């Protein structure tokens, strides 16, 4: 109950954006608790598949849009959101690794 109270802004909002959504937990919780619609975005195709699966599993597929893209690049310029959440990957990357490999390829599966 405490988590639900903390996640529920007052008043309810029309639209939430969840960047770096991963499994979709933040956007799905928003759609369940206080948002009419949630848009979830992730760069990883695997994360997008999991978010869509979780939306369907929780009967939220009609109130959730899941997009693949790099942060805001997946969105239309005219979209507006009342709440934006983000949970970017915090993976330390040693400076010499940037020169030796494409660091995004190393962590692409989320």
């Amino acid at each position: 109950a405490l988590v639900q109270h903390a996640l529920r802004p007052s008043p309810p909002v029309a639209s939430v954006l969840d960047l770096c959504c991963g499994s979709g937990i933040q956007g799905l919780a928003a759609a369940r608790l206080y948002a009419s619609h949630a848009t979830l975005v992730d760069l990883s195709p695997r994360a997008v598949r999991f978010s869509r699966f979780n939306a369907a599993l929780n009967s939220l597929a009609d109130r959730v849009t899941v997009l693949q893209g790099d942060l805001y690049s997946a969105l239309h310029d005219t979209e507006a959101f009342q709440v934006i959440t983000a949970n970017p990957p915090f993976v330390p990357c040693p400076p010499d690794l940037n020169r030796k490999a494409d660091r995004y390829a190393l962590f692409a599966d989320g």
Side-chain angles (χ1 to χ4, degrees):
L2 180 60
V3 171
Q4 287 182 349
H5 178 73
L7 291 174
R8 189 184 321 237
S10 184
V13 299
S15 186
V16 168
L17 173 62
D18 182 8
L19 295 171
C20 304
C21 66
S23 67
I25 184 61
Q26 292 182 130
L28 296 175
R32 168 79 64 208
L33 297 173
Y34 64 87
S36 299
H37 186 267
T39 300
L40 288 60
V41 178
D42 203 291
L43 183 61
S44 165
R46 183 177 182 204
V48 168
R49 288 192 305 271
F50 273 113
S51 292
R52 287 184 179 141
F53 174 77
N54 287 333
L57 190 65
N58 288 281
S59 302
L60 293 169
D62 60 329
R63 298 179 40 216
V64 172
T65 301
V66 183
L67 304 171
Q68 183 179 351
D70 186 12
L71 298 176
Y72 296 106
S73 68
L75 304 171
H76 301 291
D77 290 338
T78 58
E79 292 182 90
F81 302 94
Q82 286 75 43
V83 174
I84 299 175
T85 66
N87 189 16
F90 295 103
V91 179
C93 187
D96 63 326
L97 183 60
N98 286 330
R99 291 188 297 273
K100 295 178 183 175
D102 178 8
R103 72 181 195 177
Y104 296 108
L106 295 174
F107 307 109
D109 259 347

